Amino acid sequence: MGAEFVQFSLTPILIGVFAAIACALPGNFLVLRRQALIGDAISHVVLPGIVVAFLITGTVAAIPMLLGAAGAAIVAVIMIEAIKRLGRIEPGAAMGVTFTTLFAAGVLLLDQSDTSNVHLDVEHALMGNLESLIWFRAEGWHSLFDPAALAALPDELARIFVVCLLVIALTVIFWRPLKISTFDEGFAQALGLPVGAIGFGLVVTAAIAAVAAFDAVGSIIVIAMFICPPAAARLMTNSLERQVFWSVAFAIVSAVLGYVFAGYGPLWFGGQNAVSAAGMIAAVSGIILGLACLYGPHRSRVGAGRQESAA
Amino acid sequence: MNPFVDALLLQAGYNAALVAIGAGLLGFAGGAVGTFLFLRKRALVSDALAHATLPGIGLAFIVMVLLGGDGRNLLGLLAGSAISAFIGLWLVQWMTRATRLSEDAAIGAVLSVFFGLGIVILTIIQTMSSGRQAGLESFLLGSTAGMLFNDALIIAIGGSLAVLATWLLRRPMTLVAFDPEYAAASGTNVNRIDIAMMGLVMAVTVIGLKLVGLILIIALLIIPPVTARFWTERSGRVFWSAGLFGGVSGYVGAAISASAPALPTGSIIVLVAATLFVFSLLFAPVRGVAAAVINHRRFQWRVHRRQGLLAMARAEPIHEPFTLRVLRAEGLIRKDGVPTDAGRAQAAKIARDERRWDVARQIHLDAGLTGRYDGLTPIEQVFTPDEIAEFDTRIGGPSPVQPQGAA
């Protein structure tokens, strides 16, 4: 745990942890509202968003990309709603139509535009480049107190940190309305809460988290973190407060263990190269979810026997 | 000649022709099989299935290389992808059944975890000596560049078999999609039919991997059935037209992508399908947006016409501008609002039918008949002439409407 760790592993682990928390928090509500796949749809439409941003600005600067991706996510949400209402199509199919179409458009735009001289391709969009977000200027733990070295931290770290704080703040501020409208929409309406706006705000928050995380770690982690830690946490407790804490804990464990296994795991088995950290983080979160499904104290449905035939 | 027309007529070279035919068949199979997935409201299960193929592809490559064979053998890769897709599907089912997680959470978890695992395996393969040119990434988005006759043959045979099996199973699958409880009560094994349906979806996914890739193959399963649904209310026709929409998307999409460089086949096929979808959403006669608007206007017209005539019969003034426009357009009132002869005749008829309905409700306590009263259905469509004559004897003769009626 010396200088090398600080230089090569500290920032990717921190970025992974912040990204995981930022996604897991809104994921709790998405899972409870049965909108888990909104996260999946959003992370697919991020690709056309960043390609369009690239075509307009001609650079791979972060801010236009984030704006483009956020714009695409909002367009996708509106498209899903429009198809659902205008075409009277069930939500799953409307989602499937929307994100495959937008993703296909993104791939086409990418192939049509000349992106050979910049690092912008589908694989990068899917897998991210967590491993490459290293802290060149770090010379050891003491660099944490060295302003010159801190200034050389990867930009992604600051961005995902800010977004993570924003998501935490939003979750705390809107806790009560979110909780009430998630569990009992009719009651929330009767209280005069703007249920539609809360739902839309939740999706927009998820989109912001997805876009910021995507920038650093790729879309696989985003989908996995939206769903796996909250789903596993759901099987651990009946209280929403505890569920949120469980999900954050699971997200952190997935990010840290996933990065460590990806970076050092192959060495233990005599391999030489590291494997994809993003993929490994997703896999670890899946293992946690699997364990929760098998042993979680609140894993079974209330009245499962009676609902069996309906399911 | 135009390269697109060339490609459409299979004149753009051997490889392009193979791809176009393969894509057409694949599209047909996807649309036909996807119909039942859509009707069963489980469209996004295909998303989990498609993403779950990736680790299987990677592991199959590793196994084949370790056994000393060529890792890129398509049949071997497809077999591997089918196995891991099956495991993914089983996990979705198991999580939905055994835990309190809903199906969408299970789908999302399986697709992201399997995909992540697949990426890990792909990065392992990249470090293997024989893995550098494996080109397994092409399964993400599909690639038609190096398609061989054997590959096309696999797609053609597999697609045809999937369509045939879907056609044979269409009755039980329709039954299960619309009313699983009735299906179970009438002796159909719902579970087995569901497994068969998922097996077919898996088959289409696996044979489509090479051509359109695992991210976009689900578009071929979802978009054509949704498109077809706009055109008809009958499940049998949805089946055939979804196949047709899918087939056209595949064939035309492949032809377009062959006609110019930098047009990825999978994306173009999906975008053609999406274009058909948008057109159908707007203009399909049965459930399209335009048809709904026209129906609404027609209904509005009929309501205003009737309200206007009733007011005329009661000699009440009419102020509502749209009602006046309707009556004027049909020549029932003059420009100054005075009823024409035709208008008074219609008003008298509507007033008489209204009385007939009153009597009908007194005689028939059967809500099945009088319940059909919505003010717009002519009474002749509900009761027989004998019954109407009976009502008329109770009402007495028709009374004329006074000419100084409206406005």
Side-chain angles (χ1 to χ4, degrees), chain A residues 34 40 112 234 238 299 301, chain B residues 47 96 99-100 104 262:
Chain A
R34 310 198 163 200
D40 176 35
Q112 285 280 302
R234 171 107 178 86
N238 273 331
R299 62 183 180 279
R301 206 174 277 130
Chain B
D47 198 12
T96 327
T99 77
R100 63 181 181 181
D104 65 327

Side-chain angles (χ1 to χ4, degrees), chain A residues 103-108, chain B residues 141 212 216 263-272:
Chain A
F103 189 80
V107 173
L108 175 64
Chain B
L141 294 172
V212 293
L216 291 175
L263 294 175
T265 314
S267 300
I268 298 290
I269 292 174
V270 174
L271 290 175
V272 172

Side-chain angles (χ1 to χ4, degrees), chain A residues 19 23 43 46-47 50 66 69 122 124-129 160 208-220 222:
Chain A
C23 291
S43 53
V46 161
L47 178 73
I50 56 172
L66 290 181
V122 176
H124 171 221
L126 291 171
M127 304 185 207
N129 57 345
I160 191 68
I208 293 172
V211 169
F214 166 86
D215 173 42
V217 296
S219 55
I220 311 168
V222 172

